[in-house]
Amino acid sequence: MSKYPNLLLSAEQSRRRFLQTGVLLLAGANASPVFAQGEKPMLRIGLMTDLHYADKNPAGSRYYRETLAKIAEASRKLSDARLDFLVELGDFIDAADSVDVELGYLKTIQKPFAEISENRHYVLGNHCVDTLTKEEFLSTVGQERSYYSFDQGGYHFVVLDSCFRSDGKSYGRKNFVWTDANVPAEELEWLADDLKQSDKPTIVFAHQRLDNEGDHAVNNSPDVRKILEQSKRVTAVFQGHSHANDYHQVNGIHYCTLRAMIEQSGVDNNGFAILEIDPSGGLKIEGFKKQASYQWA
Ligand SMILES: [Zn+2]
Ligand SMILES: [Zn+2]
């Protein structure tokens, strides 16, 4: 948060900051409209990440049970927004000691999440497939694949799965270390091919980070970035996993890391966003509570 303090900027300050950095900071719910008067967004997308729902006592800064109150608040805001679709960027649940209990956590959080929008997309996070297998998670939320793409409103969207060990094996049943996140060769090949076949501007959803190196990054993030860059169609990547707001632009692509919903106690520490795409391709991210806001031309 320290990098993008939630200040209410005057129009002139905003304009200057935007010109300087290409990142316009808005003040959440109090922000003035960004689009020209009468101009409607082409697409409106709900975003949230790292909900870590579990019926267990808090640990450190993670208040597992409070996710239910936070998603109820998010639901009120997002339901009013008439979303085209809703995405959770991974770590939807937290670990339990048994498969049955963990499945119970998933069913509990899936219910309020599903009520927000009929059109939903789930990015797998390491905590989604800790005790569960990918098949168990996906069949419970009603999603066929862990990585895939779809077109909507003139845009192409890609959901990635980096929950693979370096030997290519899928995470599940506690068979992995969370720092060993990889996009395997088969998925890279699929991604390059998928992007080649599309002629639309593209937005990518991921869990582990693709914009840097280190513990929270996908081990072969440079390979993934290269494919995204070569397509010349990817405008932005939305990701989670490291729990704090962050933003980098790498070779012309915006990489936005969203703030985790699970962090800290109380709904004032909630975090979620609405992404609006305007007809000229501009992206506006309206952040609520601890989620930062951005605008990219
Ligand atoms: Zn997480
Ligand atoms: Zn994670």
Side-chain angles (χ1 to χ4, degrees):
M1 273 308 283
S2 57
K3 210 161 160 194
Y4 300 107
N6 221 5
L7 303 171
L8 179 58
L9 302 179
S10 72
E12 178 54 23
Q13 282 172 319
S14 298
R15 194 188 65 83
R16 260 187 281 126
R17 181 169 295 202
F18 182 59
L19 291 175
Q20 280 162 8
T21 65
V23 178
L24 174 62
L25 187 71
L26 299 165
N30 298 322
S32 53
V34 167
F35 300 132
Q37 287 239 314
E39 191 183 10
K40 285 213 174 70
M42 196 166 66
L43 277 173
R44 199 177 270 132
I45 301 159
L47 295 174
M48 55 181 77
T49 194
D50 294 85
L51 286 75
H52 285 260
Y53 173 69
D55 183 12
K56 57 188 191 185
N57 292 329
S61 57
R62 300 180 181 186
Y63 291 78
Y64 303 105
R65 293 190 182 102
E66 292 190 14
T67 289
L68 293 178
K70 289 174 179 170
I71 201 170
E73 185 194 41
S75 179
R76 283 190 292 275
K77 280 270 180 218
L78 297 178
S79 299
D80 287 349
R82 296 203 190 148
L83 302 175
D84 291 288
F85 62 88
L86 173 64
V87 186
E88 65 86 12
L89 294 165
D91 289 355
F92 198 41
I93 51 167
D94 208 87
D97 293 333
S98 74
V99 171
D100 282 351
V101 174
E102 206 169 295
L103 266 180
Y105 297 166
L106 182 54
K107 286 173 186 161
T108 301
I109 193 65
Q110 160 68 359
K111 194 169 177 291
F113 184 76
E115 281 168 3
I116 298 171
S117 176
E118 281 177 11
N119 299 316
R120 300 177 298 275
H121 299 276
Y122 300 78
V123 180
L124 285 182
N126 46 309
H127 285 275
C128 298
V129 286
D130 189 293
T131 307
L132 302 182
T133 63
K134 289 183 183 177
E135 292 70 30
E136 285 164 346
F137 183 96
L138 294 172
S139 65
T140 306
V141 299
Q143 182 167 297
E144 225 168 282
R145 302 177 60 86
S146 66
Y147 62 87
Y148 59 99
S149 66
F150 59 99
D151 290 339
Q152 202 162 337
Y155 259 74
H156 188 62
F157 296 93
V158 175
V159 171
L160 289 181
D161 174 10
S162 308
C163 292
F164 291 91
R165 308 190 313 204
S166 46
D167 64 1
K169 202 168 170 26
S170 271
Y171 287 8
R173 297 277 193 273
K174 300 193 185 291
N175 69 347
F176 66 94
V177 238
W178 68 273
T179 48
D180 185 26
N182 302 270
V183 175
E186 198 185 315
E187 186 176 344
L188 287 176
E189 215 171 283
W190 169 84
L191 176 64
D193 197 48
D194 179 81
L195 293 174
K196 234 173 253 161
Q197 285 177 28
S198 171
D199 58 357
K200 296 177 170 62
T202 300
I203 288 176
V204 174
F205 302 116
H207 180 65
Q208 295 91 335
R209 294 181 60 163
L210 292 167
D211 58 329
N212 59 5
E213 330 290 309
D215 277 358
H216 289 98
V218 171
N219 282 341
N220 60 337
S221 62
D223 299 338
V224 183
R225 284 201 302 273
K226 201 168 143 197
I227 292 171
L228 302 184
E229 287 162 17
Q230 280 173 345
S231 80
K232 298 192 183 357
R233 303 202 187 285
V234 177
T235 55
V237 176
F238 291 92
Q239 51 194 11
H241 191 50
S242 55
H243 287 206
N245 286 298
D246 204 1
Y247 169 83
H248 289 122
Q249 194 184 112
V250 185
N251 295 329
I253 298 175
H254 303 287
Y255 291 84
C256 183
T257 306
L258 298 191
R259 197 267 199 182
M261 188 178 275
I262 184 70
E263 289 293 328
Q264 307 294 341
S265 179
V267 288
D268 285 345
N269 285 302
N270 208 350
F272 56 97
I274 297 174
L275 163 64
E276 288 186 343
I277 305 176
D278 74 31
S280 60
L283 303 183
K284 174 192 158 195
I285 293 98
E286 184 182 10
F288 295 91
K289 298 294 175 74
K290 300 294 183 185
Q291 173 58 51
S293 296
Y294 306 89
Q295 187 186 0
W296 308 315

